[in-house]
Amino acid sequence: MLTRLFHIAINAKDLDRSVAFYRRLGFTVLQERVVKNDNVKVAFAVPSADLRFVHLRLGDDEQATVLDIVQWFNP
């Protein structure tokens, strides 16, 4: 039986809109980054290494659910 979800990755077409939605649900932003690194291309087997992501956490507990929302550019 599932008892907990810790880290969930979500792809988004509009990162700002997605972050606003999850913030309304109670998530807080932990960090935001823009990445342009060919290692990402290799690691995820994707055609573009141009992305922006935001990590959000639900609550203050370090073990609380974390969302990793990613917007890929030039996919």
Side-chain angles (χ1 to χ4, degrees):
M1 174 183 273
L2 184 65
T3 59
R4 172 176 171 248
L5 293 174
F6 178 66
H7 190 146
I8 302 165
I10 300 170
N11 291 324
K13 288 183 181 181
D14 184 336
L15 184 63
D16 294 324
R17 184 175 176 206
S18 295
V19 169
F21 171 77
Y22 286 104
R23 290 187 76 186
R24 284 192 301 272
L25 294 178
F27 284 83
T28 56
V29 173
L30 297 176
Q31 72 171 322
E32 179 177 347
R33 276 198 178 151
V34 174
V35 176
K36 292 183 182 186
N37 183 326
D38 283 338
N39 292 332
V40 170
K41 233 166 57 167
V42 173
F44 291 98
V46 293
S48 172
D50 188 9
L51 64 105
R52 181 175 153 226
F53 72 86
V54 174
H55 285 156
L56 300 107
R57 182 171 56 207
L58 185 58
D60 296 328
D61 185 342
E62 289 189 13
Q63 297 299 311
T65 301
V66 173
L67 296 181
D68 182 357
I69 304 177
V70 181
Q71 182 174 353
W72 297 90
F73 300 102
N74 304 315

